Every structure is written in C-alpha cells, then in structure tokens.
C-alpha cells in the first residue's frame, strides 16, 4: 500500500506527514496515534493503535454525552472539558492568567488536585492571585501541583509530569503558555511538522495516561474577534488538536489590581457542539469590595441545553448554601447589626464547606424574588464607605425565628 503524504489540512483533521494517515479516517479513532518521535519506541507499541476498535464492546460500556464540567459559570455550566484538550487564548494583557486562577480555585475548592505547568513565571504570581480571590492556603498546599520547566519537554520529562499527576491524583492540568514551551526546544509555532507531533507527544500523552483534562494558555496575533481571528497564532495544528473547547478572551475592561475589570469568552471551537463558534458565551468580572477581590464567571444567555448537565449534588449544594446564608443572617440579627458581604461569607464557610464564588452567587440570587419566594429572602442596605450590608427579610418561607 502506497504511503500518503498530506500537503493540506483542515481544522478538524488530525493528519501529518510522519503518520501517513488516510484522509477519511475518523479523528476520534486516531486520537492516540500521535506520539513523540522516539526511536526507542517498540514497533509493536506503535502499531497497537492501528488495530480496529471492538465497536460492540465499546457500545456495551455505554455511551454518554460529552459535557463541559470545568470552569463553571455561576449557574453551574462548564466551559472546559475533562479528559480533553482545551485552549484559552488572546492578545497580551487580556486576563488569561486570571482565567487560569479561576480554574485552579474551582478545582481546589472541590478538593481536587490540579497541576499548573508554568513556563512563563514562578509560583509567586499565581499564589498572589489565588490568595486575592480567597483560596485557602492550607488547601493550596494539599491540592496544587506547580511545575516550572526550564528545559525541553523530553519523553523523560513528560513521564515525570505524568507520574507526579498520577501520584497526586490531579484531575486537570494547565499549561502557561504554549509559545514559551515551544521556545524551550526550538519548535516553530508556524511549522505544522513540528507543532502536530509536539501536541501529540506532550499534551495528548498527558491526557491519555492520566485521564485528566488539559487547558493550554496561548496567544493570538490580534485582539479582535472576527471569524478569521478565532484561533491562536501560528500553525492550524493547534486548533486541529483541540478535542474539547477553545476560547478567545475578548477584553471589555482590562483587569487592574485593586480596580477590577471584565472580559468575555468567545467560542472559537467546541468539538462537541455545546457552544456555537463566534458566540459570546460567558463573562468574567473582577470586582473589589473593600479589600476583597471577587472573581466571578456568568453565562451570557447561551447553552440553555446544558442546564441538565448540572448534577443533583451541585443543585443540593447550591440550595444548602442558600439555606445556610439565611440561617446565619437570622442568628446574627438577634444580637447585632446586618453583616457585610465578607463577614457573611466567612460565617457561612465556618458552618460548611463552600467556595467563595458559590456563596456569592447564592447570596445574589437571594436578593431577588422568584416563583418560590415572591419577596426577596435577603435585603441589602448601604453601609459605610459604600459597603454592602445584608439581613434576612421576614417573608413567607424564610421567616426569622
């Protein structure tokens, strides 16, 4: 059989010259074909991925819809996929590092280990951001695996990363940034023949051997969001390699420490079709209340079909947080004045395990009437120095004792 040499590529194909892959082969079937070019790899291991999949056995194991479950918005809908390759990209200063911090906080507050492979900077800036947005220092010690490479991603280096992730039980890894990782070993980001094998030999190898998701932070050469600009800079092999979702970060108001900011996440690619390319699907806002930094992510009226992906556990947790907020406010009002937001969050976390963002989202929902409670269960008043104070309202279903 003659070898095939592919000269052109489309965004949704996984083909490059070294593998001679037939152009009509389903990309899902060859997700694990790409490996780093290693002369020590045994031929039998290389050929194993070309053996046909037992379709009946696969079907017998059950087929589940692939839903995004990481980087959740305030109502529980995720933007990133577990055990898949995801991208977050934009121009400089767009808040990509804050998005990474949001993902790290989410995993740690869920008592899940996460690996951060930061080629650009040391641990200090990440710790500063995580501390600002309220991550428990003790939890950081337990659940954060930080790696700061200063050498190429060789086979031995990647295996070391994998071993550490498996040992710590990491469920996700973030690479910041892809361009700097390429620079460590002279990979040209415009060179398809170099980018494709690197993505397969490093990023996909991590996914395949750990079962964790991977999110890559990358750069774009522009700051717009036109159709032709919704991809990272460099080779199209980057976009073709996405097996989860890819997000362009559009700046609405630049993030500034002590002042806040706002960005939107524009869908550049969703391999599983849960979000439409070009849609602004979520908005991340940083706001400061006194000395507290609040980092929230809100869905922008798209992806309603994903509501069912929110688990019963998450819904029960959300309702439990709301009930705890009311209980804390009731108890406090018997002896003192209304609570500030930071004080309320602290008292709720004393009673139960919940993230700052979840408590904040639950509190905001209690300030508004709904079908179950025609009058808002919580009332907000203005405090000194523009602070927000909260107390429980005497409404049916939430009356104070």
């Amino acid at each position: 059989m003659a070898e095939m040499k592919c000269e052109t590529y489309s965004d949704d194909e996984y083909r490059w010259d070294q593998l001679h892959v037939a152009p009509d082969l389903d990309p899902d079937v060859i997700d694990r074909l790409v490996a780093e070019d290693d002369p020590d790899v045994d031929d039998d291991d290389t050929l194993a991925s070309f053996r046909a999949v037992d379709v009946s056995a696969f079907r017998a194991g059950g087929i589940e819809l692939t839903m995004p479950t990481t980087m959740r918005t305030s109502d529980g809908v995720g933007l990133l996929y577990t055990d898949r390759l995801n991208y977050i990209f934009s121009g400089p200063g767009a808040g990509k590092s804050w998005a990474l911090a949001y993902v790290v906080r989410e995993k740690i507050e869920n008592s899940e280990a996460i690996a951060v492979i930061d080629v650009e900077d040391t641990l200090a800036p990440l710790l500063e951001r995580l501390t600002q947005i309220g991550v428990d220092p003790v939890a950081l010690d337990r659940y954060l695996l930080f790696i700061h490479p200063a050498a190429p991603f060789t086979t031995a280096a990647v295996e070391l990363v994998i071993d550490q992730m498996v040992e710590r039980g990491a469920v996700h890894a973030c690479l910041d940034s892809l361009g700097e990782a390429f620079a460590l070993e002279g990979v040209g980001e415009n060179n398809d023949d170099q980018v494709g094998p690197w993505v397969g030999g490093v990023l996909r190898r991590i996914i395949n051997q750990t079962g964790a998701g991977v999110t890559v932070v990358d750069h774009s050469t522009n700051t717009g969001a036109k159709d032709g600009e919704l991809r990272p800079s460099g080779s199209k092999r980057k976009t073709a390699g996405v097996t989860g979702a890819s997000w362009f970060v559009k700046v609405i108001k630049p993030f500034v420490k002590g002042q806040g900011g706002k960005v939107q996440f524009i869908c550049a690619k969703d391999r599983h079709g849960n979000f439409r390319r070009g849609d602004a699907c979520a908005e991340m806002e940083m706001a400061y209340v006194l000395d507290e930094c609040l980092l929230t992510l809100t869905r922008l009226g798209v992806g309603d079909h994903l509501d069912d992906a929110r688990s019963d556990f998450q819904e029960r947790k959300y309702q439990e947080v709301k009930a705890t907020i009311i209980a804390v406010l009731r108890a406090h009002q018997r002896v003192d004045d209304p609570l500030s937001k930071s004080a309320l969050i602290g008292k709720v976390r004393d009673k139960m395990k919940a993230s700052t963002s979840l408590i904040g989202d639950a509190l905001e929902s209690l300030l508004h009437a709904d079908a179950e409670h025609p009058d808002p269960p919580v009332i907000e008043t203005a405090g000194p120095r523009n602070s927000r104070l909260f107390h429980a309202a005497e409404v049916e279903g939430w009356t104070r004792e």
Side-chain angles (χ1 to χ4, degrees):
M1 179 177 177
E3 292 183 341
M4 300 191 64
K5 182 177 178 66
C6 301
E7 299 292 345
T8 60
Y9 308 88
S10 67
D11 283 355
D12 292 319
E13 292 172 310
Y14 299 81
R15 304 194 304 250
W16 36 110
D17 297 349
Q18 293 93 329
L19 294 178
H20 314 297
V21 179
D24 59 346
L25 190 58
D26 186 342
D28 287 334
V29 176
I30 61 171
D31 272 350
R32 295 184 295 275
L33 289 183
V34 184
E36 189 175 36
D37 187 14
D38 186 347
D40 295 329
V41 173
D42 185 76
D43 287 343
D44 290 340
D45 292 337
T46 304
L47 294 176
S49 60
F50 287 87
R51 295 191 176 92
V53 174
D54 187 335
V55 177
S56 62
F58 186 88
R59 290 177 59 252
I63 300 175
E64 298 181 0
L65 293 177
T66 303
M67 294 292 184
T69 57
T70 294
M71 197 176 178
R72 291 183 177 274
T73 59
S74 57
D75 60 353
V77 171
L79 301 185
L80 306 175
Y81 291 84
T82 302
D83 70 17
R84 300 282 171 163
L85 179 57
N86 310 274
Y87 275 67
I88 295 174
F89 67 96
S90 69
K96 297 183 293 295
S97 294
W98 283 104
L100 185 151
Y102 185 94
V103 173
V104 173
R105 180 182 68 179
E106 176 183 275
K107 293 304 180 185
I108 290 178
E109 292 186 343
N110 286 336
S111 299
E112 296 175 316
I114 180 169
V116 175
I117 307 168
D118 195 331
V119 189
E120 291 195 342
D121 216 332
T122 62
L123 177 57
L126 176 61
L127 283 184
E128 181 183 2
R129 294 187 187 96
L130 294 174
T131 301
Q132 284 188 67
I133 59 179
V135 179
D136 180 10
V138 177
L140 278 171
D141 295 343
R142 181 174 182 180
Y143 296 112
L144 176 61
L145 172 62
F146 185 86
I147 302 170
H148 181 48
F153 285 74
T154 62
T155 300
V158 175
E159 290 300 329
L160 178 57
V161 171
I162 290 170
D163 290 344
Q164 294 176 98
M165 288 181 62
V166 171
E167 181 181 1
R168 296 284 292 274
V171 299
H172 208 85
C174 298
L175 172 65
D176 187 6
S177 68
L178 187 60
E180 293 300 318
F182 283 172
L184 284 177
E185 48 197 294
V187 172
E189 74 162 9
N190 293 305
N191 191 323
D192 287 353
D193 292 341
Q194 295 178 356
V195 172
W198 195 95
V199 170
V202 177
L203 303 179
R204 288 205 181 179
R205 178 174 293 178
I206 291 173
I207 294 171
N208 292 339
Q209 295 190 25
T210 66
V214 171
T215 297
V216 173
V217 174
D218 202 1
H219 300 277
S220 60
T221 55
N222 46 67
T223 56
K226 297 178 182 179
D227 182 72
E229 298 172 342
L230 287 177
R231 63 180 180 85
S233 60
S235 169
K236 290 186 177 181
R237 295 302 93 221
K238 295 180 180 180
T239 302
V242 173
T243 56
S246 179
W247 296 95
F248 174 80
V249 185
K250 178 182 178 180
V251 178
I252 305 300
K253 181 181 179 182
F255 284 167
V256 177
K257 186 189 300 184
Q259 299 180 30
K262 185 183 296 185
V263 299
Q264 289 183 349
F265 288 82
I266 313 296
C267 180
K269 178 179 178 180
D270 183 350
R271 180 66 182 270
H272 306 281
N274 290 305
F275 295 102
R276 180 181 292 109
R277 175 179 166 86
D279 278 357
C281 299
E283 186 170 87
M284 178 172 286
E285 182 173 13
M286 179 200 293
Y288 283 84
V289 179
L290 298 180
D291 294 330
E292 184 179 9
C293 177
L294 303 179
L295 188 65
T296 58
L297 185 65
T298 307
R299 185 160 49 127
L300 295 178
V302 297
D304 291 340
H305 64 288
L306 290 171
D307 288 333
D308 293 337
R310 195 183 312 161
S311 68
D312 291 339
F313 171 79
Q314 291 167 324
E315 184 61 31
R316 290 197 303 270
K317 185 79 169 183
Y318 188 64
Q319 296 302 327
E320 181 185 357
V321 170
K322 291 169 68 174
T324 303
I325 290 173
I326 295 297
V328 166
L329 289 175
R330 288 176 181 168
H332 188 75
Q333 283 167 217
R334 288 198 289 264
V335 296
D336 211 338
D337 295 328
L339 284 170
S340 67
K341 184 170 184 178
S342 58
L344 175 58
I345 290 175
K347 288 183 176 296
V348 170
R349 296 189 72 173
D350 286 341
K351 292 182 174 294
M352 66 176 297
K353 183 176 181 179
S355 68
T356 299
S357 59
L358 179 60
I359 298 171
D361 294 339
L363 175 60
E364 295 298 329
S365 73
L366 290 170
L367 292 171
H368 305 284
D370 56 28
E372 184 178 357
H373 305 106
D375 296 311
V378 172
I379 295 176
E380 176 183 352
T381 56
R385 293 183 296 174
N386 296 319
S387 63
R388 303 171 68 192
L389 300 178
F390 304 91
H391 64 85
E394 293 180 350
V395 297
E396 185 177 357
W398 290 105
T399 53
R400 290 196 295 270
E401 298 174 353

